């Protein structure tokens, strides 16, 4: 038996963040020519964050996921603003290393392995509640609503599960409609990584010398 006198939502650094005048002043350093600023950001990442050489497109693409707004105002309506980015390439080329170092640097994100990943673990699961039947349980995506998810080994996830994820990616919701009716918000930024798959369905297949970004 759990006794509770009240409940309070748990805050996060991202959820509790507020733009103040001093922060606006600091953000002015990013004003200027977009190409120049992206080059400056990449140089900083390469020297201070991921420390991987010749990975400009990869680093900029990955970091943009963290920077993407949750929602955008367009013609009087709020539309999806969060980004989904796939880093695709041969094994041992720094995909996991870059994602984990960005996650540590930004102090934000959850990393999940796609190997042995289930639909219940990612989206909506079911849990027996005593003798009263089942209750819906948040998967990793709803648990990170408004946040950031790094999904490793995306190619290892079953194709049917990837198809089921399309609604959460497009609309930001995860639904259950079989044993229990449930709907959870899952508006999270996602960085996927995947290795090439050979004709036998094996990942990690080396295809020769990788192309440098």
């Amino acid at each position: 038996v759990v006794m509770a006198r009240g409940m309070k939502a748990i805050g996060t650094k991202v959820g509790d963040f507020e733009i103040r005048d001093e922060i606006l002043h600091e953000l002015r350093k990013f004003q200027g020519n977009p190409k120049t600023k992206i080059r400056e950001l990449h140089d900083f990442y390469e020297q201070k964050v991921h420390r991987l050489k010749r990975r400009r497109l990869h680093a900029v693409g990955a970091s943009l996921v963290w920077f993407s707004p949750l929602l955008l105002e367009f013609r009087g309506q709020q539309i999806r603003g969060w980004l989904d980015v796939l880093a695709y390439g041969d094994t041992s080329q720094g995909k996991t290393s870059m994602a984990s170092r960005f996650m540590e640097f930004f102090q934000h994100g959850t990393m999940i392995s796609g190997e042995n990943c289930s639909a219940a673990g990612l989206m909506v699961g079911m849990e027996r509640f005593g003798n009263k039947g089942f209750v819906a349980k948040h998967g990793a995506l709803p648990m990170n609503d408004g946040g950031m998810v790094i999904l490793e080994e995306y190619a290892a996830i079953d194709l049917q599960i990837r198809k089921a994820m399309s609604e959460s990616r497009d609309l930001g919701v995860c639904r259950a409609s079989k044993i229990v009716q449930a709907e959870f918000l899952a508006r999270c930024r996602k960085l996927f990584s995947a290795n090439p798959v050979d004709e036998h369905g094996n990942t990690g297949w080396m295809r020769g010398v990788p192309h440098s970004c």
Side-chain angles (χ1 to χ4, degrees):
V1 178
V2 178
M3 302 287 291
R5 294 183 179 179
M7 294 186 297
K8 182 179 179 181
I10 298 176
T12 63
K13 290 184 178 180
V14 174
D16 296 338
F17 179 77
E18 293 182 0
I19 300 261
R20 299 186 300 273
D21 290 340
E22 56 268 28
I23 294 177
L24 284 174
H25 180 73
E26 293 177 2
L27 289 175
R28 288 176 182 171
K29 68 178 68 174
F30 295 106
Q31 292 179 342
N33 185 283
K35 290 184 178 180
T36 302
K37 291 302 176 181
I38 287 177
R39 190 180 302 113
E40 291 175 357
L41 273 176
H42 170 263
D43 292 341
F44 173 78
Y45 293 151
E46 185 177 271
Q47 296 169 17
K48 302 294 185 180
V49 184
H50 59 75
R51 303 180 187 276
L52 298 171
K53 300 297 182 181
R54 303 173 70 181
R55 293 292 186 274
R56 173 170 295 182
L57 293 180
H58 185 183
V60 172
S63 62
L64 284 176
V65 184
W66 269 276
F67 296 152
S68 61
L70 192 63
L71 298 169
L72 292 171
E73 193 79 22
F74 181 72
R75 293 183 176 179
Q77 293 184 336
Q78 285 192 329
I79 63 172
R80 164 189 168 169
W82 67 87
L83 287 179
D84 294 344
V85 168
L86 170 66
Y88 179 81
D90 291 331
T91 187
S92 302
Q93 295 302 312
K95 298 187 296 298
T96 299
S97 176
M98 183 175 292
S100 61
R101 288 174 185 175
F102 271 133
M103 187 171 67
E104 181 180 357
F105 176 72
F106 293 129
Q107 298 184 30
H108 183 62
T110 299
M111 184 172 285
I112 304 167
S113 174
E115 295 180 335
N116 302 318
C117 206
S118 66
L122 273 177
M123 292 170 285
V124 182
M126 297 295 156
E127 186 174 342
R128 184 176 289 278
F129 188 68
N131 296 324
K132 298 181 180 180
F134 292 85
V135 294
K137 182 180 179 181
H138 290 73
L141 298 181
M143 286 181 66
N144 286 277
D145 177 50
M148 171 77 189
V149 171
I150 300 102
L151 192 50
E152 294 284 302
E153 304 295 342
Y154 182 64
I157 299 177
D158 184 84
L159 181 59
Q160 296 302 317
I161 298 177
R162 279 184 270 166
K163 289 181 178 179
M165 287 177 60
S166 61
E167 187 174 38
S168 70
R169 292 176 54 213
D170 295 336
L171 302 178
V173 295
C174 288
R175 292 190 176 98
S177 57
K178 294 183 178 179
I179 301 175
V180 175
Q181 298 279 336
E183 180 178 311
F184 300 133
L185 289 175
R187 306 159 300 171
C188 52
R189 305 155 184 89
K190 305 175 198 67
L191 176 61
F192 304 99
S193 73
N195 298 326
V197 180
D198 64 15
E199 62 271 20
H200 303 294
N202 300 314
T203 60
W205 182 39
M206 295 298 291
R207 302 181 63 179
V209 179
H211 175 72
S212 298
C213 297

